Amino acid sequence: MPRIQVGQYVNDMIEFLLRHLGGVFDGLASAATSAVDAVYWVVHTPPSGVMIPVFAVIAWLATRNWQLVVFTVLAFLLVDSMELWTATMQTLTVVLIAATAAVVIGVPIGMWAATSGRVSAVARPVLDFMQTLPVFVYLIPSVFFFGIGVVPGVVSTTAFAIPPAVRLTELGIRQVDQEIVEAAHAFGSRPRQVLRQVQLPLAMPSIMAGVNQVIMLALSMVVIAGMVGAGGLGEVVVRGVTQLDIGAGFEGGLSVVIMAIFLDRVTSGLGTPGLRPRRLLLRRRAATATSSDSVSPDHESADLEPRVAGAGDLVKGAPS
């Protein structure tokens, strides 16, 4: 059987893109570098004595859990005492940028896939391919397109972290009770209104679970990206492995674990319905009251009315 030159085809495609879209990649690299510099300035300019209380406040606002607050303070004090604060903030910068980009790209695709069977059929094998592809393979095209440094780390981390955002957004929207969706259509809501005011609020726990997984994958990838010069804790771990410095490698890994626990608990807390921001709860209560006033008992059954009321701004704009 003749050998199929798949690798050669990939090399030709990369060379073609570099030859014709080199300016685009340079612009993306410049934008990514500016974003990294800006975020790093925000998280690293204040001393650790300021940022640790900030992280503690974030933990409290997201979870209302004093145990997590105490853990946050003690854990980041430990990171600072190991003299890994700078590396930790570098890693946090890459994770925040890559996770934000992955969510911005993945959530709209998941929304599109949830409303289109064809898009879902196309996206599913692509996501399967992305999630089974070895993590080191993501680094190869990133290095070819952007060279060595933090930019290929950000790009490869973003690409690696996209699938959970797509999958869990689509899953959350598809699992919304169809009776609620049909009730929204019956009140005259347009498809975009149903998606924005009914399906997305009810799918928010699943979407936030996707955000949580995006951050966890970004953290796992950013360590591997230390092999291409992304810096941060990944560089500490890689240096510990290459130099057989078990202590340094363990300290870098411990710092990654601390950051992972903090980010996981915060994002999980934001995805818990009972711990959402007070403004969102007040809006939902107001919408519930409006819904109760708008739905007539002569037209809607008693068991459907509570579920319609719980859908947020379901009857916004409905005829009185």
Side-chain angles (χ1 to χ4, degrees):
M1 181 177 178
R3 185 176 185 274
I4 301 177
Q5 302 290 336
V6 176
Q8 185 60 44
Y9 298 149
V10 173
N11 289 334
D12 293 340
M13 182 183 67
I14 291 177
E15 292 178 359
F16 174 83
L17 293 175
L18 287 174
R19 186 165 53 251
H20 293 86
L21 299 176
V24 175
F25 294 121
D26 291 340
L28 290 175
S30 178
T33 302
S34 299
V36 168
D37 292 341
V39 175
Y40 180 70
W41 183 85
V42 171
V43 299
H44 187 257
T45 299
S48 59
V50 174
M51 290 303 300
I52 292 176
V54 170
F55 291 152
V57 171
I58 293 173
W60 168 250
L61 293 177
T63 65
R64 295 297 194 272
N65 188 338
W66 280 110
Q67 295 177 344
L68 179 62
V69 174
V70 174
F71 167 81
T72 300
V73 173
L74 296 180
F76 281 105
L77 284 175
L78 176 61
V79 170
D80 192 22
S81 68
M82 293 187 296
E83 299 181 352
L84 291 177
W85 183 260
T86 298
T88 302
M89 293 302 101
Q90 291 174 348
T91 298
L92 179 62
T93 298
V94 175
V95 168
L96 290 178
I97 294 175
T100 301
V103 170
V104 169
I105 296 171
V107 170
I109 295 176
M111 294 165 56
W112 191 14
T115 56
S116 173
R118 293 181 178 179
V119 175
S120 179
V122 172
R124 188 173 295 112
V126 174
L127 296 175
D128 291 340
F129 173 78
M130 293 179 66
Q131 289 187 297
T132 54
L133 193 67
V135 293
F136 290 98
V137 178
Y138 284 92
L139 298 176
I140 299 174
S142 299
V143 172
F144 270 103
F145 290 138
F146 302 103
I148 300 295
V150 68
V151 175
V154 172
V155 173
S156 58
T157 302
T158 300
F160 181 69
I162 286 176
V166 179
R167 286 191 185 277
L168 290 173
T169 299
E170 179 184 1
L171 179 65
I173 293 176
R174 288 187 180 276
Q175 287 183 338
V176 173
D177 191 346
Q178 289 303 309
E179 292 184 2
I180 297 178
V181 177
E182 292 172 2
H185 286 295
F187 279 108
S189 299
R190 291 186 290 271
R192 290 187 178 180
Q193 289 178 315
V194 174
L195 177 64
R196 186 177 66 253
Q197 300 177 1
V198 178
Q199 291 175 305
L200 283 179
L202 294 178
M204 192 56 63
S206 180
I207 295 174
M208 289 305 301
V211 173
N212 178 278
Q213 291 303 305
V214 164
I215 293 176
M216 294 301 102
L217 287 181
L219 263 175
S220 65
M221 185 64 184
V222 82
V223 174
I224 300 174
M227 300 179 62
V228 296
L233 296 174
E235 183 178 351
V236 175
V237 174
V238 171
R239 186 170 63 247
V241 172
T242 56
Q243 298 180 359
L244 298 179
D245 190 343
I246 300 176
F250 181 82
E251 289 179 350
L254 179 61
S255 299
V256 173
V257 170
I258 289 172
M259 186 182 301
I261 293 174
F262 170 74
L263 294 176
D264 174 73
R265 298 300 186 270
V266 168
T267 52
S268 297
L270 292 175
T272 302
L275 294 174
R276 290 180 188 172
R278 180 175 177 83
R279 183 173 61 179
L280 179 59
L281 293 175
L282 293 176
R283 287 178 57 190
R284 175 162 293 191
R285 291 172 184 172
T288 302
T290 304
S291 175
S292 301
D293 295 340
S294 301
V295 179
S296 174
D298 297 334
H299 294 83
E300 298 296 331
S301 62
D303 63 329
L304 177 61
E305 183 174 353
R307 280 179 285 176
V308 172
D313 298 329
L314 179 63
V315 296
K316 184 178 181 180
S320 56

